Amino acid sequence: MTANEILAPRPRIEQFLRHFDECFVDERTRHHLRVYVYGQLSNLPRKSVGPIAVAAEMAPKTLQQFLSLAKWDHLLMRDRLQQRVASRHRGPQVVGVFDETGPPKKGHKTPGVQHQYRGATGKNDNCIVTVHLALAEGSFHCLLDSELFVPEVGSEDRARCRTAGIPEAMAHRPKWRIGLELYDIARGNGLAFSWVTFDEGYGGKPGFLRGLIERGQPFVGEVPGSLPGWIELPPVTSRPYRKGGKGRPRKVPRLVSGRSRALSLKDQLLSGRAFLDQPWQTYHVKDTDKGPMVWEAKRVTITLKDENDLPGMRLELLAARDVLDREKVKYFVSDVPAEIPTDPLLLVGLTRWHGERCFEDSKTELGSDHWEGRSDLGLKRHQIVSAVSSLILAEVRRELEGEKTGTDRVPSSDCGGRVGGGVRIGGEVGQETGRARSAVDRSSTTGERQSA
């Protein structure tokens, strides 16, 4: 279903937009919101301010001022959007997805534009990068919030920042810290996630993982294979030591001399006994339009090395590979107890595609990457209005098509009840994939994983 097809229930969309009326001081700016949203939902080939305004028989400058100068509360609009989603999407299958996107931009006057890494191409490009938080529940997904990433070099050029309308207080922050800020705002608006997931750009940052643990948020996220850690916890000493009784003593606390060094996750998989002694297990994750999605996985408990080269967080490590491409291995970590089965963790870790699909829909259906402004405020407002249009698209699509049953049903973070949608467990590599799991009894604390 395309955005153009959902314009038929126009009264439904008008009713939806009235939910945001209090964000505006007069009827004129409320009308401009409708012009912009209907322009994004239209079949215009280009959905920047100019074509949308011309199609609505409005001066382009008027719509430009709506984004960058007019008085209306875009942050209240974000809050109302999140509160609406929170009221309609609660329960054990709600997953938060951290991700980022980097639309290409020419010139140097766009806020945050820099020659930097762009995930869509896998290389450095002239672009802006925005960090996003999305929500997934079953086949439903929507964008919740976003924030501009200001590169360190660009942040130091305060004159350029002032020209782009970037506030003095808005300096360079790591993307993972922006992600936690978006999470805190969403939680403040009543959103509750059974799980969150993310890619290795966030999972490779210990501060991000610790931030989720401190907030009590269960997670299953991808981490880089180069991340070091120990499967057997090494001893740590606080006793100073001088070689030969001379010289400066070694720092404390420190690892006991002569003990095993930390290995990367990739090396652990290739040479660690804990991995070598167990076979790959086959998991039928779900059925898709292109056929069944089947992965193989191994799992151990690992202690990651912290910033001081000492044992840090102790997490569950899951090494997984697609049976159609066994050379490509993904590494996921989770803060769940060791007795939680592997299959729900694998399902959550592979839920990140919802965020990528949100970006794809927002760009192809709504033209969210057609924005051509040069102010930070205009970008923020464009992102929020685009999230509103995206939610309309998601809600009407769900209403007209109906929720697909048994697809991507994610379990609760304590894995109570069923373990989730279509995840099936098989035996060693080469064995037939098993049948769907029956309900898991969480009253037992033995920690045994049920057989296929």
Side-chain angles (χ1 to χ4, degrees):
M1 178 183 296
T2 65
N4 190 43
E5 291 175 301
I6 74 165
L7 284 175
R10 201 175 186 94
R12 168 76 169 77
I13 298 174
E14 285 293 330
Q15 181 183 7
F16 177 95
L17 292 177
R18 282 198 291 271
H19 185 70
F20 305 98
D21 281 352
E22 63 179 315
C23 303
F24 303 93
V25 296
D26 54 46
E27 191 60 37
R28 185 167 173 268
T29 47
R30 291 191 190 99
H31 173 66
H32 294 160
L33 170 67
R34 284 155 175 77
V35 169
Y36 204 77
V37 168
Y38 277 111
Q40 289 190 315
L41 293 173
S42 73
N43 59 358
L44 288 171
R46 182 75 182 173
K47 299 181 181 181
S48 56
V49 164
I52 292 176
V54 170
E57 299 181 350
M58 175 187 292
K61 187 175 181 180
T62 301
L63 209 54
Q64 290 170 350
Q65 292 175 342
F66 165 71
L67 290 179
S68 58
L69 295 174
K71 291 184 178 180
W72 58 279
D73 196 338
H74 57 283
L75 297 182
L76 179 60
M77 177 177 286
R78 175 205 61 199
D79 293 344
R80 291 292 176 266
L81 179 146
Q82 292 188 358
Q83 290 160 8
R84 179 184 179 92
V85 175
S87 67
R88 293 167 173 244
H89 300 277
R90 309 186 70 88
Q93 297 183 32
V94 177
V95 180
V97 182
F98 294 94
D99 210 342
E100 63 190 58
T101 184
K105 294 294 178 183
K106 296 181 179 180
H108 64 280
K109 294 185 178 180
T110 304
V113 69
Q114 192 77 35
H115 195 72
Q116 55 189 320
Y117 180 78
R118 181 170 174 240
T121 59
K123 60 182 181 180
N124 287 349
D125 203 351
N126 214 51
C127 63
I128 62 172
V129 174
T130 48
V131 179
H132 294 255
L133 176 62
L135 176 142
E137 183 192 25
S139 62
F140 176 89
H141 45 244
C142 68
L143 295 171
L144 297 172
D145 201 358
S146 64
E147 183 59 271
L148 174 68
F149 168 71
V150 181
E152 191 168 5
V153 174
S155 178
E156 294 171 353
D157 190 348
R158 297 316 302 179
R160 180 181 166 190
C161 289
R162 284 190 292 272
T163 301
I166 297 177
E168 291 295 329
M170 186 176 172
H172 167 76
R173 294 164 295 160
K175 296 172 185 176
W176 64 266
R177 196 175 296 279
I178 295 175
L180 291 178
E181 292 172 2
L182 298 181
Y183 173 87
D184 290 338
I185 292 171
R187 293 289 289 125
N189 281 321
L191 282 155
F193 306 104
S194 293
W195 305 87
V196 297
T197 188
F198 40 84
D199 67 12
E200 62 180 38
Y202 297 83
K205 304 298 186 292
F208 182 73
L209 300 180
R210 279 197 301 269
L212 293 175
I213 293 173
E214 291 167 359
R215 288 162 172 78
Q217 175 61 61
F219 62 83
V220 183
E222 191 174 353
V223 294
S226 58
L227 210 62
W230 297 269
I231 293 179
E232 293 185 5
L233 190 64
V236 176
T237 181
S238 297
R239 181 181 178 183
Y241 172 77
R242 285 189 179 92
K243 187 175 182 179
K246 299 179 181 180
R248 181 179 297 176
R250 295 181 183 176
K251 64 179 182 179
V252 291
R254 57 182 173 79
L255 296 177
V256 174
S257 299
R259 295 302 178 129
S260 60
R261 62 184 180 87
L263 295 178
S264 70
L265 305 186
K266 182 178 181 179
D267 288 339
Q268 296 280 11
L269 176 64
L270 294 176
S271 60
R273 297 308 312 173
F275 273 120
L276 294 177
D277 290 344
Q278 61 175 296
W280 288 96
Q281 294 289 323
T282 307
Y283 296 84
H284 181 163
V285 180
K286 64 176 181 178
D287 291 314
T288 71
D289 294 337
K290 298 180 180 180
M293 179 185 291
V294 181
W295 283 65
E296 298 166 345
K298 293 185 179 185
R299 176 179 169 185
V300 298
T301 303
I302 194 165
T303 302
L304 298 181
K305 181 193 284 189
D306 68 10
E307 297 89 335
N308 299 314
D309 297 330
L310 295 172
M313 293 168 285
R314 192 158 178 82
L315 303 170
E316 291 299 291
L317 169 63
L318 185 66
R321 63 187 187 185
D322 190 335
V323 296
L324 299 179
D325 186 6
R326 290 190 170 99
E327 296 300 316
K328 187 176 181 179
V329 179
K330 290 180 178 290
Y331 301 90
F332 300 96
V333 295
S334 178
D335 61 335
V336 299
E339 63 267 18
I340 298 298
T342 296
D343 42 353
L345 304 187
L346 183 59
L347 178 58
V348 174
L350 296 173
T351 302
R352 196 173 61 82
W353 72 268
H354 283 281
E356 296 172 351
R357 182 58 187 270
C358 283
F359 294 147
E360 181 182 351
D361 289 347
S362 187
K363 292 175 182 178
T364 58
E365 300 292 350
L366 307 176
S368 63
D369 57 342
H370 296 170
W371 179 76
E372 297 173 344
R374 292 181 175 178
S375 74
D376 179 64
L377 178 60
L379 175 61
K380 280 184 171 65
R381 287 177 165 180
H382 166 74
Q383 296 275 18
I384 292 172
V385 175
S386 297
V388 169
S389 299
S390 176
L391 182 58
I392 294 174
L393 194 67
E395 286 194 1
V396 176
R397 175 184 289 148
R398 188 183 204 187
E399 181 179 300
L400 296 183
E401 292 184 341
E403 176 70 12
K404 294 180 180 179
T405 60
T407 303
D408 282 6
R409 295 193 62 201
V410 176
S412 62
S413 53
D414 62 359
C415 295
R418 293 188 62 84
V419 298
V423 180
R424 301 173 187 175
I425 182 170
E428 301 180 16
V429 175
Q431 293 185 2
E432 182 180 355
T433 303
R435 301 178 63 84
R437 274 180 171 269
S438 59
V440 175
D441 183 4
R442 289 290 157 238
S443 62
S444 171
T445 58
T446 59
E448 293 184 0
R449 299 187 178 109
Q450 294 190 6
S451 59

